[in-house]
Amino acid sequence: MTVTRPLPIPDDHSAGYWAAARRHTLALPRCARCHSFALPPSETCRHCGTFEPEFRFEAVSGTGRVRSWTMVRKASLLGFADQVPYLLVDVELSAQPGLRMIGRLLGEPADPHLDDPVQVVFEDVDDDISIPAFTLVRETPGRGDTPTGDEAGR
Amino acid sequence: MSGRFPGGGRVAIAGFAHSAVQRRLDRSLGAITVEVARAAIADAGLAPEMIDGFVTSALFPTAGTHAVQDGISTVTANWLADRIGADPRYVASFQGVGQIPGSVALAVNAIAAGAADYVVLHRALHNPRGGYHDNSMTTAAGPQQWTAPQGYGGPLSMIALPYNEYLQRYKADPETMAAVVVEARKNGARIPWSYWFDRPLTTAEYLTAPMMSDPIRRLDCDIPVDGVATFVLTSAERARDLPHPPVYIAGYASSGPHRERLPSHWPLDDIMAGGCDTARRLWAATGLRPEDVDLPQLYDGFSPFVYFWLETLGLCPVGQAHRFVSDGGIDSDAPGALPVLSGGGALGNGRMHGIPQMLECYLQLSGRAGDRQRAATVGLACHSSPHYGGAVAYTREPL
């Protein structure tokens, strides 16, 4: 039996994320009260404590720095068994200090180091779903991330 | 508010029993648990009908798609209580992570409060057919959708990321971890019921073990097993009338609320900050200091936890655990070293989930360790990650 790669089931808390990803845009949930990003979004905002965060999905540049990585050689997710070995990177996004995201590292060179700059990219896994991943950026990408805010809403 | 635990020294372990630890035992987990529980009750000099409390943590700790069946893949406190022939006043199960300290806390609180007089605490672990953490999900709903579609799932990568973060931050040599695993296996090889009895490991064998999720090798992971352990706890006063020297519970700490993250995402800073909070509460609860502990039993279900516990407990400076280990600091046979894996841990016994740490504290402090007997007075049994687990302090004399 071949197990296929797990695909996301968008819900009320994530639909904006996956809709933006389909357009190859990283849009992250942002608290309407304190404007902090939170990943994943929760019932309350972990930054300001409001229980009415009314998270909205806002586009970010998707740049960040490598904080850690691992080469997966034994995939516990059987849907990835035919992809091993593959690299995962733990990225601190430049959109907000401490905001971390995990994704595959695609492209060459596949040799990450601490603090390497990365950029989000997307894998189109079917007609409806694109999955965020990262790629190493050769040159340091100029300025930090400035959320544009023009992808608001879900 | 001092945080000192008023129940410290008022509750003790009075007896124990332990099954063989094998990849698969030849009888059901439930049948073995009943047998081991009865043996522990007898070891404590009691009769089944005297037991009025049952506690456990019944979590089947797999990330895989395995069915959870009471009596087969796990054994709940109710399941066992129903088959021991007792009429318990107190039956409870710890739901969080750090299952053994959490269960001990339930038992201690119940006895100190008078809710039960004689409590059986058991833990039954099962190795299912198929890969322990194999997960055949093809859709990811809820929290999993933020990680599984990206290829992140299961505990191998969960521990690989903070371990690599540690190696990079402190420029540590990954080969140093051989000393942790070899130490666990050396001690486990001396324990007759261990899966690894009489099978020590060499550094060369460690270094040739296959990588699972770099820098985690197969031998950095404890091996899934079938196995059951049971302890009997009672009040300090009652314990003194029973056959074996009591071992007293001085206090405990469970890790507190942790920062919400992606599922199974444990950045090194989270582990250290949360772990230092756990340690602070433990010292406050017990009045002990790190230098008072001569039998620290650190959790090692994945080998990097040994580094994290050494540092968060203050047994060595932050960022220095790898040097402490490479300098022989955890060699249980070296005078002056800290015997943090003298009980073999999970790496030296099999995936018994915090039991080896608790059992080593009990055996050494009650004087029941036989050929392995050490002169110890204060033990610490840690479980899981310092930021997502807990620890219990045990003493030979009541504090």
Side-chain angles (χ1 to χ4, degrees), chain A residues 29-118:
Chain A
R30 194 170 205 185
C31 175
R33 307 279 175 246
C34 73
H35 309 293
S36 296
F37 290 106
L39 192 67
S42 183
E43 304 308 308
T44 64
C45 174
R46 77 205 52 166
H47 297 284
C48 70
T50 179
F51 44 85
E52 294 180 332
E54 297 174 16
F55 285 113
R56 284 179 288 202
F57 286 84
E58 296 194 6
V60 297
S61 72
T63 61
R65 297 272 174 178
V66 171
R67 296 294 300 269
S68 191
W69 64 92
T70 182
M71 181 72 84
V72 179
R73 299 178 192 274
K74 164 82 170 77
S76 295
L77 294 167
L78 297 179
F80 283 88
D82 60 350
Q83 313 243 1
V84 296
Y86 64 91
L87 265 170
L88 290 170
V89 283
D90 178 352
V91 171
E92 182 164 0
L93 295 169
S94 45
Q96 181 175 293
L99 187 65
R100 302 274 278 260
M101 188 169 153
I102 297 169
R104 292 179 67 173
L105 186 72
L106 303 176
E108 301 291 335
D111 181 26
H113 298 84
L114 196 63
D115 291 328
D116 274 355
V118 291

Side-chain angles (χ1 to χ4, degrees), chain B residues 50 54 267 292 300 347 396:
Chain B
M50 299 170 72
F54 290 84
D292 297 327
D300 63 336
L347 293 169
R396 196 170 63 187

Side-chain angles (χ1 to χ4, degrees), chain A residues 7 14 18 68 70 73 76 86, chain B residues 135 140 145 151 161 213-214 265:
Chain A
L7 297 181
S14 67
W18 293 113
S68 191
T70 182
R73 299 178 192 274
S76 295
Y86 64 91
Chain B
N135 194 306
Q145 70 184 291
L161 288 178
S213 187
D214 303 29
H265 187 199

Side-chain angles (χ1 to χ4, degrees), chain B residues 365-392:
Chain B
L365 297 174
S366 64
R368 301 182 68 186
D371 294 345
R372 301 189 308 104
Q373 187 63 50
R374 314 178 68 90
T377 56
V378 178
L380 201 57
C382 304
H383 190 190
S384 192
S385 173
H387 81 306
Y388 217 118
V392 181

Side-chain angles (χ1 to χ4, degrees), chain B residues 171-185:
Chain B
K171 300 186 170 29
D173 181 353
E175 297 195 0
T176 298
M177 196 58 86
V180 171
V181 182
V182 168
E183 171 69 15
R185 289 281 297 274

Side-chain angles (χ1 to χ4, degrees), chain B residues 85-118:
Chain B
D87 180 22
R89 293 190 285 151
Y90 183 79
V91 180
S93 183
F94 178 75
Q95 297 286 352
V97 175
Q99 291 85 0
I100 303 303
S103 301
V104 170
L106 290 177
V108 169
N109 293 356
I111 293 164
D117 293 334
Y118 299 103

